[in-house]
Amino acid sequence: MTSDRLALDGGEPVRRELLPYGRQALTDDDIATVVQVLRSDWLTTGPKVAEFEEAIADFVGAAHAVSFSSGTAALHGAVLAAGIGPGDEVITSPLTFCATANCVLYQGATPVFADVSDDTLNLDPDDVSRRLSPRAKAILPVDYGGHPADLDEFLALADRDGLTVIEDAAHALGARYRGRRVGSISHMTVFSFHPVKHVTTGEGGMVTTNDATHARRLRMCRNHGIDSDARARQASGQWYYEMTALGCNYRLTDIASALGLSQMSRLDTNVERRRTIARQYAGSLAAIPGLRLPHTRSDAEPAWHLYPVRVDPHIVRGERDEIFRALRAEGLGVNVHYIPVHLHPYYRQRFGDRSGWWPIAEQASRELISLPMFHAMSDGEAQDVVAAVRKVMRHFVADPRTSF
Ligand SMILES: *Cc1c(COP(=O)(O)O)cnc(C)c1O
């Protein structure tokens, strides 16, 4: 039995070794497939790229999947493929990783933030509709934590005004919305293969779409604005190519694609494991006063990239940051997702001080703590998370008579 004294105050920590909030899991098979590619003729834009793209398209149920060198590059590609440029506006969430809004700036357009809904912390369709101006060209919802955004509402708004819905699903590979897989619903859906995400390629990203024009533009964008790739030219004995638009080199390598492809075979199992951990947390932590667990809507099956809890400042003594430090001292690699984008120094400098403009996102960001959540977590590690949260919350809940 660990003592009740917080590790922060010199007590025995629940864990000696820090449990990270997210972490990749690689198998010997993953490594062997990568080694095979290293011995092959193609290190980049070879057969593995196409196979990996097909595997993702099949998994989500989309007609096309176009790989990119990172999730951020994929977001940029999607914004470019939607024809967004200077003078245009894209409505997005402030409660996200800064890359979501940055990709709009890359194209010389303006990210317009709308507030989030208090339950899911996803972009609020009512606030989006209030902020749509004639300059708006796209809506860019984020599936926060892996819980799908209100996609049908955004598609209806987009239909009405001729906008594109670009979904940042970096957290949501494997999630379902109204029975459909995320990746088959929005005009374009963006995934990331960063090591903390559900499938990793080291760095990597993908855009899925059912629209052939979007797919063609995405392919050009990642390859300098050239309409064919080197492998296709070699196969057809052609040397001639033309650059017809300004693109980038955002190509994913065959080395990375082989790793992603190998990881795909365990995606369903891994998402299921995350769901099990989420259920275990919910069952064990629900009774703790002052701790608000992530809400799941009845029409959503989240992919559980994160397990973000909120500490209620009315019930809990002290600040979120104190609780955060206490959890770290107990050996939990807790994190905060996110600092609202408009509060970052770059955005303050460029757009002025807009603190207070998106109050729900800002309040959430003051209360949020992401508990460790990754598919390779053992039952024992999940129990450590529960034990550490219980131990720390006992010290901070205002009414010490409550027992949990
Ligand atoms: C991870 C992430 C990205 C960016 O992905 P990278 O592959 O790291 O470039 C974008 N948006 C969100 C919400 C993310 O979590």
Side-chain angles (χ1 to χ4, degrees):
M1 230 2 237
T2 48
S3 82
D4 279 349
R5 200 150 148 238
L6 291 184
L8 200 61
D9 301 330
E12 185 76 20
V14 171
R15 291 178 56 84
R16 301 227 151 265
E17 201 190 320
L18 199 74
L19 185 69
Y21 88 89
R23 173 206 280 163
Q24 77 275 17
L26 299 193
T27 65
D28 288 344
D29 276 352
D30 291 345
I31 293 163
T33 339
V34 171
V35 171
Q36 260 178 14
V37 172
L38 291 172
R39 297 186 202 282
S40 80
D41 288 341
W42 295 98
L43 295 187
T44 193
T45 322
K48 290 296 171 196
V49 173
E51 280 177 53
F52 182 40
E53 289 176 338
E54 212 175 299
I56 292 279
D58 279 356
F59 180 84
V60 303
H64 312 273
V66 181
S67 59
F68 281 82
S69 52
S70 70
T72 303
L75 278 166
H76 183 195
V79 170
L80 197 151
I84 287 155
D88 295 339
E89 294 179 352
V90 175
I91 322 291
T92 194
S93 168
L95 197 68
T96 183
F97 184 53
C98 49
T100 314
N102 290 351
C103 70
V104 178
L105 296 177
Y106 294 161
Q107 280 305 104
T110 307
V112 172
F113 297 113
D115 213 342
V116 296
S117 306
D118 191 54
D119 62 338
T120 57
L121 302 181
N122 278 330
L123 199 52
D124 173 6
D126 292 334
D127 204 37
V128 168
S129 105
R130 278 192 286 276
R131 291 174 196 272
L132 281 173
S133 87
R135 288 184 298 280
K137 286 282 165 57
I139 305 171
L140 209 177
V142 178
D143 302 318
Y144 177 83
H147 188 297
D150 288 305
L151 302 175
D152 282 344
E153 280 81 349
F154 296 129
L155 286 165
L157 285 174
D159 243 15
R160 196 191 64 188
D161 293 354
L163 313 176
T164 307
V165 176
I166 303 168
E167 180 185 353
D168 182 341
H171 298 180
L173 183 58
R176 278 199 169 86
Y177 170 77
R178 299 187 176 164
R180 290 168 290 163
R181 280 257 205 233
V182 160
S184 63
I185 304 165
S186 299
H187 300 126
M188 287 184 268
T189 307
V190 179
F191 297 102
S192 160
F193 307 123
H194 180 277
V196 294
K197 308 283 163 67
H198 297 73
V199 160
T200 189
T201 58
E203 299 281 359
M206 191 81 76
V207 184
T208 60
T209 181
N210 288 318
D211 182 316
T213 306
H214 284 330
R216 191 177 56 80
R217 287 201 192 136
L218 289 162
R219 290 210 162 82
M220 285 181 60
C221 157
R222 65 140 180 231
N223 191 33
H224 309 282
I226 295 169
D227 217 345
S228 63
D229 69 46
R231 183 160 167 263
R233 284 196 300 278
Q234 177 171 312
S236 63
Q238 302 270 329
W239 63 269
Y240 187 76
Y241 66 86
E242 281 180 327
M243 179 199 137
T244 54
L246 185 63
C248 302
N249 176 359
Y250 281 161
R251 295 185 305 255
L252 189 66
T253 65
D254 260 46
I255 306 166
S257 300
L259 179 56
L261 191 59
S262 181
Q263 296 243 310
M264 282 297 290
S265 64
R266 294 186 311 281
L267 177 53
D268 275 323
T269 320
N270 288 346
V271 171
E272 205 36 62
R273 176 68 189 146
R274 286 170 183 262
R275 289 194 176 129
T276 303
I277 295 167
R279 272 194 301 270
Q280 195 176 337
Y281 284 172
S284 311
L285 303 175
I288 301 180
L291 193 71
R292 203 168 144 191
L293 305 185
H295 176 75
T296 301
R297 297 229 185 127
S298 60
D299 59 1
E301 289 170 62
W304 297 106
H305 165 58
L306 303 173
Y307 196 86
V309 300
R310 293 169 66 172
V311 289
D312 184 339
H314 302 293
I315 298 182
V316 175
R317 274 186 286 118
E319 296 285 319
R320 183 270 314 272
D321 289 350
E322 277 181 83
I323 296 164
F324 183 98
R325 276 196 300 277
L327 289 168
R328 276 281 173 100
E330 298 300 335
L332 300 196
V334 286
N335 223 304
V336 173
H337 297 92
Y338 291 91
I339 299 166
V341 177
H342 64 282
L343 298 181
H344 282 292
Y346 178 83
Y347 278 82
R348 282 180 190 268
Q349 213 168 49
R350 185 156 168 179
F351 298 99
D353 180 8
R354 299 184 288 179
S355 45
W357 284 30
W358 295 279
I360 300 174
E362 287 182 31
Q363 185 56 33
S365 103
R366 287 189 286 269
E367 300 175 359
L368 279 164
I369 297 178
S370 296
L371 301 182
M373 171 57 87
F374 52 92
H375 42 258
M377 193 188 296
S378 69
D379 288 340
E381 287 169 334
Q383 281 155 16
D384 285 349
V385 173
V386 168
V389 171
R390 279 206 181 115
K391 178 180 173 189
V392 166
M393 288 303 286
R394 272 190 208 114
H395 282 258
F396 285 99
V397 172
D399 183 357
R401 287 164 307 178
T402 37
S403 70
F404 50 82

